[in-house]
Amino acid sequence: MIFEVLTIFPEIIENYVGCSMMKRAAQAGAARFHVRNIRDYTTDKHHVTDDVPFGGGPGMVMKPEPVAAAIDAVQALNGGALPVIYLSPQGEKWNQDLAMEFSQMPGMILICGRYEGLDERVIEKYVDREVSIGDYVLTGGELGALVMIDSITRLLPGVLGNSDSAVQDSFSSDGLLDCPHYTRPEHWNGAAAPEVLMSGHHAKINDWRRMMAMKRTRERRPDIWEKIEPTLTKKDRKLLAKLDEEQE
């Protein structure tokens, strides 16, 4: 997958994609990361990328010319085939379902806005989708782009050491939060890991993990639970009833 990131702070993106899982994904050929400095596509000697907004008001607006030139140049390098994504508070909210959808794309151009945002004419002409990582405002789109890159890359074939890891993550598959996890030592700081996890009984382990995932989702994310609860199987409801009995 090709990630083309347009930003005026390329070092933010470069530092992250050069580490850990992103670095391994690039080395394995599962992902390619190209970071383009929007200032390189300006035509004035000061490399200005912003200007005052028409109509007055606080802040600055990203100029259309350099951003458009950057998009055109990157599309030319990629045969004009990449969807253009703009990180924006007005966009559709990012979630695991979108990460899975985007992971099926050949790649994308991610525009990291700054200041008061991007000239609307560029959005209307070039942008295919706008994405928001949450209902809050950040200084720029770089962190949002990295959130997208990370959550997409880990879904690509061959990136994670165990392909089941992505399937079992919170919000994956059935939408439940993930269950608790434990590792050695069995006893630590006066607390013991659940005996069932050491039992070697895979069916019981799977039932326990399912119970804990449902319990955690019900307690911590009632908004998600409200949507999932009507879809529970008879077995799920029996596991929940057993859990509730044990807690009484």
Side-chain angles (χ1 to χ4, degrees):
M1 173 173 281
I2 302 169
F3 293 97
E4 293 275 3
V5 186
L6 310 185
T7 172
I8 61 173
F9 292 103
E11 62 274 16
I12 296 175
I13 307 295
E14 291 168 345
N15 287 337
Y16 190 84
V17 300
C19 298
S20 187
M21 185 179 65
M22 303 300 111
K23 182 178 180 180
R24 293 199 302 271
Q27 291 173 338
R32 285 189 284 159
F33 306 105
H34 302 293
V35 187
R36 316 289 181 178
N37 192 336
I38 296 172
R39 296 188 191 280
D40 292 341
Y41 299 89
T42 57
T43 56
D44 66 294
K45 65 178 182 179
H46 298 295
H47 304 292
V48 176
T49 59
D50 63 305
D51 208 335
V52 296
F54 285 133
M60 305 290 279
V61 177
M62 293 190 73
K63 293 168 62 65
E65 303 100 312
V67 178
I71 296 171
D72 287 338
V74 170
Q75 288 288 34
L77 291 172
N78 292 280
L82 299 182
V84 179
I85 314 299
Y86 175 46
L87 280 301
S88 161
Q90 290 81 37
E92 53 190 311
K93 191 176 293 186
W94 189 248
N95 56 33
Q96 190 67 16
D97 287 341
L98 280 181
M100 295 179 70
E101 177 188 340
F102 277 49
S103 71
Q104 303 303 310
M105 296 179 179
M108 63 199 69
I109 298 173
L110 296 167
I111 305 176
C112 302
R114 281 270 158 175
Y115 316 118
E116 294 301 309
L118 179 60
D119 189 296
E120 188 69 21
R121 292 167 294 185
V122 177
I123 299 173
E124 292 174 351
K125 180 175 181 180
Y126 289 98
V127 173
D128 297 297
R129 297 175 75 166
E130 294 184 55
V131 170
S132 168
I133 62 167
D135 294 336
Y136 45 85
V137 179
L138 298 172
T139 305
E142 287 77 15
L143 290 177
L146 289 175
V147 167
M148 289 183 61
I149 289 170
D150 192 304
S151 57
I152 293 170
T153 301
R154 66 192 318 280
L155 296 174
L156 300 178
V159 172
L160 296 181
N162 186 334
S163 59
D164 289 337
S165 294
V167 177
Q168 295 177 3
D169 284 338
S170 292
F171 311 115
S172 295
S173 181
D174 53 16
L176 292 170
L177 298 184
D178 200 3
C179 65
H181 295 280
Y182 299 84
T183 188
R184 288 184 286 270
E186 182 178 341
H187 296 274
W188 175 81
N189 201 30
E195 288 186 18
V196 65
L197 297 181
M198 275 72 74
S199 69
H201 195 301
H202 296 298
K204 289 183 178 179
I205 291 172
N206 288 337
D207 285 348
W208 181 87
R209 286 175 171 165
R210 181 72 178 177
M211 277 195 298
M212 293 300 103
M214 289 190 290
K215 176 179 182 289
R216 182 168 282 186
T217 306
R218 185 173 63 179
E219 293 176 351
R220 300 186 182 185
R221 291 297 301 272
D223 56 322
I224 297 176
W225 182 252
E226 184 179 358
K227 298 176 183 178
I228 293 176
E229 198 276 336
T231 69
L232 297 179
T233 65
K234 289 183 179 179
K235 182 177 180 180
D236 287 335
R237 298 185 188 280
K238 287 182 179 180
L239 290 174
L240 274 178
K242 177 183 177 182
L243 178 65
D244 292 338
E245 287 177 7
E246 292 174 351
Q247 293 180 332
E248 288 181 354

